[in-house]
Coordinates of all heavy atoms in Angstrom, one line a residue:
M1 N 0.9 -1.1 0.0 CA 0.0 0.0 0.0 C 0.9 1.2 0.0 O 0.8 2.1 0.9 CB -1.0 0.0 1.3 CG -2.2 -0.9 1.0 SD -3.8 0.0 1.3 CE -3.5 1.0 2.6
T2 N 1.7 1.4 -1.0 CA 2.4 2.6 -1.1 C 1.8 3.5 -2.1 O 1.2 3.1 -3.0 CB 3.9 2.3 -1.4 OG1 3.9 1.5 -2.7 CG2 4.7 1.6 -0.4
E3 N 2.0 4.8 -1.8 CA 1.4 5.8 -2.7 C 2.6 6.6 -3.1 O 3.3 7.3 -2.4 CB 0.4 6.5 -2.0 CG -0.6 7.1 -2.9 CD -1.9 7.6 -2.2 OE1 -2.5 6.9 -1.4 OE2 -2.3 8.8 -2.5
E4 N 2.7 6.8 -4.5 CA 3.8 7.5 -5.0 C 3.4 9.1 -5.0 O 2.3 9.4 -5.4 CB 4.0 7.0 -6.4 CG 5.3 7.8 -7.1 CD 5.7 7.0 -8.3 OE1 6.2 5.8 -8.3 OE2 5.4 7.5 -9.3
T5 N 4.3 9.8 -4.6 CA 3.9 11.3 -4.8 C 4.9 11.9 -5.9 O 5.9 11.4 -6.2 CB 4.2 12.1 -3.5 OG1 5.7 12.0 -3.2 CG2 3.5 11.4 -2.4
Y6 N 4.5 13.0 -6.3 CA 5.3 13.7 -7.3 C 5.3 15.3 -7.0 O 4.3 15.8 -6.7 CB 4.8 13.4 -8.7 CG 5.3 14.3 -9.8 CD1 6.4 13.9 -10.5 CD2 4.8 15.6 -10.2 CE1 7.1 14.6 -11.5 CE2 5.4 16.4 -11.2 CZ 6.5 16.0 -11.8 OH 7.0 16.6 -12.8
S7 N 6.4 15.8 -7.0 CA 6.5 17.2 -6.7 C 7.7 17.9 -7.5 O 8.8 17.2 -7.7 CB 6.8 17.5 -5.3 OG 6.9 18.9 -5.0
T8 N 7.6 19.0 -8.0 CA 8.5 19.8 -8.6 C 9.4 20.7 -7.6 O 10.4 21.4 -8.0 CB 8.2 20.6 -9.8 OG1 7.0 21.6 -9.4 CG2 7.7 19.7 -11.0
D9 N 8.9 20.6 -6.4 CA 9.5 21.6 -5.3 C 10.4 20.8 -4.4 O 11.4 21.5 -3.9 CB 8.4 22.2 -4.3 CG 7.5 23.1 -5.2 OD1 8.0 23.7 -6.1 OD2 6.2 23.0 -5.1
G10 N 10.3 19.6 -4.2 CA 11.0 18.8 -3.4 C 10.5 17.5 -3.2 O 9.6 17.0 -3.9
A11 N 11.0 16.8 -2.1 CA 10.5 15.4 -1.7 C 9.2 15.5 -1.0 O 9.2 16.1 0.2 CB 11.6 14.7 -0.9
E12 N 8.2 15.1 -1.5 CA 6.8 15.0 -0.9 C 6.6 13.7 -0.2 O 6.6 12.7 -0.7 CB 5.7 15.2 -1.9 CG 4.4 15.4 -1.2 CD 3.2 15.6 -2.2 OE1 3.5 16.3 -3.3 OE2 2.1 15.2 -2.0
C13 N 6.5 13.8 1.2 CA 6.4 12.5 1.9 C 5.1 11.8 1.6 O 4.0 12.4 1.5 CB 6.1 13.0 3.4 SG 5.9 11.6 4.5
P14 N 5.2 10.5 1.2 CA 4.0 9.7 0.8 C 3.1 9.3 2.1 O 2.1 8.8 1.9 CB 4.7 8.5 0.3 CG 6.0 8.3 0.8 CD 6.5 9.7 1.2
Y15 N 3.7 9.6 3.3 CA 2.9 9.3 4.4 C 2.1 10.5 4.8 O 0.9 10.3 5.2 CB 3.9 8.9 5.6 CG 4.6 7.6 5.2 CD1 6.0 7.8 5.0 CD2 4.1 6.4 5.2 CE1 6.8 6.7 4.6 CE2 4.9 5.2 5.0 CZ 6.2 5.4 4.7 OH 7.0 4.3 4.3
C16 N 2.7 11.6 4.9 CA 1.9 12.7 5.6 C 1.7 13.9 4.6 O 1.0 14.8 4.8 CB 2.6 13.2 6.9 SG 4.0 14.1 6.6
G17 N 2.4 13.8 3.4 CA 2.0 14.8 2.4 C 3.0 16.1 2.6 O 2.9 17.1 1.8
H18 N 3.9 16.1 3.6 CA 4.7 17.3 3.8 C 5.8 17.2 2.7 O 6.3 16.2 2.3 CB 5.5 17.1 5.1 CG 6.6 18.1 5.4 ND1 6.4 19.3 5.8 CD2 8.0 17.9 5.3 CE1 7.5 20.0 5.9 NE2 8.5 19.2 5.6
V19 N 6.1 18.5 2.1 CA 7.0 18.7 1.1 C 8.3 19.2 1.7 O 8.3 20.3 2.3 CB 6.5 19.5 0.0 CG1 7.7 19.8 -1.0 CG2 5.3 18.9 -0.7
D20 N 9.3 18.4 1.6 CA 10.7 19.1 2.0 C 11.3 19.7 0.7 O 11.7 19.2 -0.2 CB 11.7 17.9 2.5 CG 11.5 17.6 3.9 OD1 11.3 18.5 4.7 OD2 11.4 16.4 4.3
D21 N 11.3 21.1 0.9 CA 11.7 21.9 -0.3 C 13.1 21.6 -0.7 O 14.0 21.8 0.1 CB 11.6 23.4 -0.1 CG 11.4 24.2 -1.1 OD1 12.3 24.0 -2.1 OD2 10.6 25.1 -1.1
A22 N 13.4 21.3 -1.9 CA 14.8 20.9 -2.3 C 15.7 22.2 -2.1 O 16.9 22.0 -1.8 CB 14.7 20.6 -3.8
D23 N 15.2 23.4 -2.3 CA 16.0 24.5 -2.1 C 16.4 24.7 -0.6 O 17.4 25.4 -0.5 CB 15.3 25.8 -2.7 CG 15.1 25.8 -4.1 OD1 16.0 25.2 -4.8 OD2 14.2 26.5 -4.6
N24 N 15.8 24.1 0.2 CA 16.2 24.2 1.6 C 17.0 23.0 2.1 O 17.1 22.8 3.3 CB 15.0 24.4 2.6 CG 14.3 25.8 2.2 OD1 15.0 26.7 1.7 ND2 13.0 25.8 2.3
S25 N 17.3 22.1 1.3 CA 17.9 20.8 1.6 C 19.5 20.9 1.7 O 20.2 19.8 1.7 CB 17.5 19.7 0.7 OG 18.0 19.8 -0.5
D26 N 20.1 22.0 1.5 CA 21.7 22.1 1.4 C 22.1 21.4 0.2 O 23.2 20.7 0.2 CB 22.3 21.7 2.7 CG 22.5 22.9 3.7 OD1 22.5 24.0 3.2 OD2 22.5 22.5 4.8
G27 N 21.3 21.2 -0.8 CA 21.8 20.4 -2.0 C 21.6 19.0 -1.9 O 21.7 18.2 -2.8
A28 N 21.1 18.4 -0.7 CA 21.0 17.0 -0.5 C 19.9 16.4 -1.4 O 20.2 15.3 -2.0 CB 20.6 16.7 0.9
L29 N 18.8 17.2 -1.7 CA 17.9 16.6 -2.5 C 18.2 16.7 -4.1 O 17.5 16.2 -4.9 CB 16.4 17.3 -2.3 CG 15.7 16.7 -1.0 CD1 14.5 17.6 -0.8 CD2 15.2 15.3 -1.5
Y30 N 19.3 17.4 -4.3 CA 19.8 17.5 -5.6 C 21.0 16.6 -6.1 O 21.4 16.4 -7.1 CB 20.3 19.0 -6.0 CG 19.2 20.1 -6.1 CD1 19.2 21.0 -5.1 CD2 18.3 19.9 -7.0 CE1 18.2 21.9 -5.2 CE2 17.3 20.9 -7.1 CZ 17.2 21.9 -6.2 OH 16.2 22.9 -6.2
S31 N 21.3 15.8 -5.0 CA 22.4 14.8 -5.2 C 21.8 13.6 -6.0 O 20.8 13.0 -5.7 CB 22.9 14.4 -3.8 OG 23.8 13.3 -3.9
D32 N 22.6 13.3 -7.1 CA 22.1 12.1 -7.9 C 22.3 10.8 -7.3 O 21.8 9.9 -7.8 CB 22.6 12.2 -9.3 CG 24.1 12.3 -9.5 OD1 24.7 12.0 -8.5 OD2 24.5 12.5 -10.6
D33 N 22.9 10.6 -6.2 CA 23.0 9.3 -5.5 C 22.1 9.2 -4.3 O 22.2 8.3 -3.5 CB 24.5 8.9 -5.1 CG 25.1 9.9 -4.2 OD1 24.5 10.9 -3.8 OD2 26.4 9.8 -3.9
M34 N 21.3 10.3 -4.2 CA 20.2 10.3 -3.2 C 19.2 9.4 -3.6 O 18.6 9.5 -4.7 CB 19.8 11.8 -3.0 CG 18.8 12.0 -1.9 SD 17.1 11.8 -2.5 CE 17.0 12.8 -4.0
D35 N 18.8 8.4 -2.7 CA 17.6 7.5 -3.1 C 16.8 7.2 -1.8 O 15.8 6.5 -1.9 CB 18.1 6.2 -3.6 CG 19.1 5.4 -2.7 OD1 19.2 5.9 -1.5 OD2 19.5 4.3 -3.1
E36 N 17.1 7.9 -0.8 CA 16.2 7.7 0.4 C 16.1 9.2 1.1 O 17.2 9.9 1.2 CB 16.7 6.7 1.3 CG 15.7 6.4 2.5 CD 16.2 5.4 3.5 OE1 16.1 4.2 3.1 OE2 16.8 5.8 4.4
W37 N 15.0 9.4 1.5 CA 14.8 10.8 2.3 C 14.0 10.5 3.6 O 13.1 9.7 3.6 CB 14.1 11.7 1.4 CG 14.1 13.1 2.0 CD1 13.1 13.8 2.5 CD2 15.3 14.0 2.0 NE1 13.4 15.1 2.9 CE2 14.8 15.2 2.6 CE3 16.7 13.9 1.6 CZ2 15.7 16.3 2.8 CZ3 17.4 15.0 1.8 CH2 17.0 16.2 2.3
T38 N 14.3 11.3 4.7 CA 13.5 11.2 5.8 C 12.6 12.4 5.9 O 13.1 13.5 5.9 CB 14.3 11.1 7.1 OG1 15.2 9.9 6.9 CG2 13.6 10.9 8.3
C39 N 11.4 12.2 6.0 CA 10.5 13.4 6.2 C 10.8 14.3 7.2 O 11.0 13.9 8.4 CB 9.1 12.8 6.3 SG 7.8 14.0 6.5
G40 N 10.8 15.5 6.9 CA 11.1 16.7 8.0 C 9.9 16.8 8.9 O 10.1 17.6 9.9
S41 N 8.8 16.2 8.7 CA 7.6 16.5 9.5 C 7.3 15.2 10.4 O 7.2 15.3 11.5 CB 6.4 16.8 8.5 OG 5.3 17.1 9.4
C42 N 7.2 14.1 9.7 CA 6.8 12.9 10.5 C 8.0 11.9 10.7 O 7.8 11.0 11.4 CB 5.6 12.1 9.8 SG 6.1 11.3 8.3
N43 N 9.2 12.3 10.1 CA 10.4 11.6 10.4 C 10.5 10.1 9.8 O 11.2 9.2 10.3 CB 10.8 11.5 11.8 CG 11.4 12.9 12.3 OD1 12.1 13.5 11.7 ND2 10.8 13.4 13.5
K44 N 9.5 9.8 8.9 CA 9.5 8.5 8.4 C 10.4 8.5 7.1 O 10.3 9.4 6.2 CB 8.0 8.0 7.9 CG 7.2 7.7 9.1 CD 5.8 7.2 8.5 CE 5.0 6.8 9.7 NZ 3.7 6.5 9.2
P45 N 11.2 7.4 7.0 CA 12.0 7.4 5.7 C 11.3 6.9 4.6 O 10.4 6.0 4.7 CB 13.2 6.4 6.1 CG 12.6 5.5 7.1 CD 11.5 6.3 7.9
F46 N 11.5 7.4 3.4 CA 10.9 6.9 2.2 C 11.9 7.0 1.0 O 12.9 7.5 1.0 CB 9.6 7.7 1.9 CG 9.7 9.2 1.8 CD1 10.1 9.7 0.6 CD2 9.5 10.0 3.1 CE1 10.2 11.2 0.6 CE2 9.6 11.3 2.9 CZ 10.0 11.9 1.8
K47 N 11.6 6.2 0.0 CA 12.4 6.0 -1.2 C 12.1 7.2 -2.1 O 10.9 7.7 -2.3 CB 11.9 4.7 -1.9 CG 12.8 4.4 -3.1 CD 12.4 2.9 -3.4 CE 12.3 2.6 -4.8 NZ 13.3 3.0 -5.8
V48 N 13.2 7.8 -2.6 CA 13.1 8.9 -3.5 C 13.8 8.7 -4.9 O 14.8 8.1 -5.0 CB 13.8 10.2 -2.9 CG1 13.8 11.4 -3.8 CG2 13.0 10.5 -1.6
S49 N 13.2 9.1 -5.9 CA 13.9 9.0 -7.2 C 13.8 10.4 -7.8 O 12.9 11.2 -7.7 CB 13.1 8.1 -8.3 OG 13.0 6.8 -7.9
L50 N 15.0 10.9 -8.2 CA 15.3 12.3 -8.7 C 15.3 12.1 -10.3 O 16.0 11.4 -10.8 CB 16.6 12.7 -8.1 CG 17.0 14.0 -8.7 CD1 16.2 15.2 -8.3 CD2 18.5 14.3 -8.1
Y51 N 14.5 13.0 -10.9 CA 14.7 13.2 -12.3 C 15.1 14.5 -12.6 O 14.7 15.5 -12.2 CB 13.2 13.0 -12.9 CG 12.6 11.7 -12.7 CD1 11.7 11.4 -11.6 CD2 12.9 10.7 -13.6 CE1 11.2 10.2 -11.4 CE2 12.3 9.3 -13.4 CZ 11.5 9.1 -12.2 OH 11.0 8.0 -12.0
I52 N 16.3 14.4 -13.4 CA 16.9 15.7 -13.7 C 16.6 16.0 -15.2 O 16.7 15.1 -16.0 CB 18.5 15.6 -13.5 CG1 18.8 15.2 -12.2 CG2 19.1 16.9 -14.0 CD1 20.3 15.0 -11.9
H53 N 16.2 17.1 -15.4 CA 15.6 17.5 -16.7 C 16.5 18.6 -17.2 O 16.6 19.7 -16.7 CB 14.1 18.0 -16.4 CG 13.4 18.3 -17.6 ND1 12.6 17.4 -18.2 CD2 13.3 19.4 -18.4 CE1 12.0 17.9 -19.2 NE2 12.4 19.1 -19.4
Y54 N 17.1 18.4 -18.3 CA 18.0 19.4 -18.9 C 17.4 19.9 -20.2 O 16.8 19.0 -21.0 CB 19.4 18.9 -19.3 CG 20.2 18.5 -18.1 CD1 20.4 17.2 -17.7 CD2 20.8 19.5 -17.3 CE1 21.1 16.8 -16.6 CE2 21.6 19.1 -16.2 CZ 21.7 17.8 -15.9 OH 22.4 17.4 -14.8
T55 N 17.4 21.1 -20.6 CA 17.1 21.5 -21.9 C 18.3 22.5 -22.4 O 19.0 23.2 -21.7 CB 15.8 22.4 -22.1 OG1 16.0 23.5 -21.1 CG2 14.6 21.6 -21.6
W56 N 18.4 22.5 -23.7 CA 19.4 23.4 -24.3 C 18.9 24.3 -25.5 O 18.0 23.8 -26.1 CB 20.7 22.5 -25.0 CG 21.6 22.0 -24.0 CD1 22.8 22.3 -23.6 CD2 21.5 20.6 -23.3 NE1 23.4 21.5 -22.6 CE2 22.5 20.5 -22.5 CE3 20.4 19.7 -23.2 CZ2 22.6 19.3 -21.7 CZ3 20.5 18.6 -22.4 CH2 21.7 18.4 -21.6
T57 N 19.4 25.4 -25.4 CA 19.0 26.3 -26.5 C 20.3 26.7 -27.1 O 21.3 27.2 -26.5 CB 18.3 27.5 -25.9 OG1 17.2 27.2 -25.2 CG2 17.9 28.6 -27.1
A58 N 20.3 26.6 -28.5 CA 21.5 27.0 -29.2 C 21.2 28.1 -30.2 O 20.1 28.2 -30.8 CB 22.0 25.8 -30.1
T59 N 22.2 29.1 -30.3 CA 22.1 30.3 -31.1 C 23.3 30.4 -31.9 O 24.4 30.4 -31.3 CB 21.8 31.6 -30.3 OG1 20.8 31.3 -29.3 CG2 21.5 32.8 -31.1
P60 N 23.3 30.7 -33.2 CA 24.5 30.8 -34.0 C 25.2 32.2 -33.7 O 24.6 33.0 -33.2 CB 24.0 30.9 -35.4 CG 22.6 31.2 -35.3 CD 22.1 30.7 -34.0
Y61 N 26.6 32.2 -33.7 CA 27.3 33.3 -33.5 C 27.0 34.5 -34.4 O 26.8 35.6 -34.1 CB 28.8 33.1 -33.5 CG 29.4 32.4 -32.4 CD1 30.1 31.2 -32.4 CD2 29.2 33.0 -31.1 CE1 30.7 30.6 -31.3 CE2 29.8 32.4 -30.0 CZ 30.4 31.3 -30.2 OH 31.0 30.6 -29.0
D62 N 27.0 34.2 -35.6 CA 26.6 35.2 -36.7 C 25.1 35.3 -36.8 O 24.5 34.6 -37.5 CB 27.3 35.0 -38.1 CG 26.9 33.5 -38.6 OD1 26.6 32.8 -37.8 OD2 27.1 33.4 -39.7
D63 N 24.6 36.1 -35.9 CA 23.2 36.3 -35.7 C 22.6 37.1 -36.8 O 22.0 38.2 -36.6 CB 23.0 36.9 -34.3 CG 21.6 36.9 -33.8 OD1 20.9 35.7 -33.8 OD2 21.1 37.9 -33.4
V64 N 22.8 36.7 -38.1 CA 22.2 37.5 -39.1 C 20.7 37.3 -39.1 O 20.2 36.3 -39.0 CB 22.8 37.0 -40.5 CG1 22.5 37.8 -41.7 CG2 24.4 36.7 -40.4
A65 N 20.1 38.4 -39.3 CA 18.6 38.5 -38.8 C 17.9 37.7 -40.0 O 18.1 37.7 -41.2 CB 18.2 39.9 -38.9
H66 N 17.0 36.9 -39.4 CA 15.9 36.4 -40.3 C 14.9 37.6 -40.4 O 14.5 38.0 -39.3 CB 15.3 35.1 -39.6 CG 16.2 34.0 -39.6 ND1 16.3 33.1 -40.7 CD2 16.9 33.6 -38.6 CE1 17.3 32.2 -40.2 NE2 17.6 32.4 -39.0
P67 N 14.6 37.9 -41.5 CA 13.7 39.2 -41.6 C 12.3 39.0 -40.9 O 11.9 40.0 -40.3 CB 13.3 39.3 -43.1 CG 14.3 38.4 -43.8 CD 14.9 37.4 -42.8
E68 N 11.8 37.8 -40.7 CA 10.6 37.7 -40.0 C 10.8 37.5 -38.6 O 9.7 37.3 -37.8 CB 9.8 36.6 -40.6 CG 10.3 35.2 -40.4 CD 11.5 34.8 -41.5 OE1 11.7 35.6 -42.3 OE2 12.0 33.7 -41.3
D69 N 12.0 37.5 -38.0 CA 12.2 37.2 -36.6 C 12.8 38.6 -35.9 O 13.9 38.9 -36.0 CB 13.2 36.2 -36.6 CG 13.6 35.8 -35.0 OD1 13.0 36.4 -34.1 OD2 14.8 35.2 -34.8
P70 N 11.9 39.2 -35.3 CA 12.3 40.5 -34.7 C 13.3 40.4 -33.6 O 14.2 41.2 -33.4 CB 11.1 41.0 -34.0 CG 10.1 40.0 -33.9 CD 10.6 39.0 -35.0
E71 N 13.6 39.1 -33.0 CA 14.5 39.0 -32.0 C 15.9 38.9 -32.5 O 16.8 39.0 -31.9 CB 14.4 37.6 -31.2 CG 13.0 37.6 -30.4 CD 13.1 38.4 -29.1 OE1 14.2 38.3 -28.5 OE2 12.1 39.1 -28.7
G72 N 16.0 38.6 -33.8 CA 17.3 38.5 -34.5 C 18.0 39.8 -34.9 O 19.0 39.8 -35.4
E73 N 17.2 40.9 -34.7 CA 17.9 42.1 -35.2 C 18.7 42.8 -34.2 O 18.3 43.9 -33.6 CB 16.8 43.1 -35.5 CG 16.1 42.5 -36.8 CD 14.9 43.4 -37.4 OE1 14.3 44.1 -36.5 OE2 14.5 43.3 -38.5
H74 N 19.9 42.3 -33.9 CA 20.9 43.0 -33.1 C 22.0 43.5 -33.9 O 23.1 42.9 -34.0 CB 21.4 41.9 -32.0 CG 20.4 41.5 -31.1 ND1 19.6 42.2 -30.2 CD2 19.8 40.2 -31.0 CE1 18.8 41.4 -29.6 NE2 18.8 40.1 -30.1
N75 N 21.9 44.5 -34.6 CA 22.8 45.1 -35.5 C 23.6 46.3 -34.9 O 23.9 47.2 -35.6 CB 22.1 45.5 -36.7 CG 21.5 44.3 -37.6 OD1 22.2 43.3 -37.4 ND2 20.4 44.6 -38.2
D76 N 23.9 46.2 -33.6 CA 24.7 47.4 -33.0 C 26.2 47.0 -33.1 O 27.0 47.9 -32.6 CB 24.3 47.5 -31.5 CG 24.1 46.2 -30.7 OD1 24.6 45.2 -31.3 OD2 23.3 46.2 -29.8
A77 N 26.6 46.0 -33.7 CA 28.1 45.8 -33.8 C 28.7 46.4 -35.1 O 28.0 46.5 -36.2 CB 28.5 44.3 -33.9
Ligands
ZN1 ZN1 5.9 12.8 6.5

């Protein structure tokens, strides 16, 4: 009878629903070998899986404007 929780803020306790904010964990909740967490509210340990999500945006150096793209018009050089 386990119930999985999902949060983008930190580890949400599957027992009591308390969210331990990742930003307040001293980096512990961002560690990729972290697989267990103890709830800061009810002190029960539970299993944690961390999903790291990366995105990349690439822009060419010679930012020659596409006429239909107003963001591309940086002609101050
Ligand atoms: Zn809890």
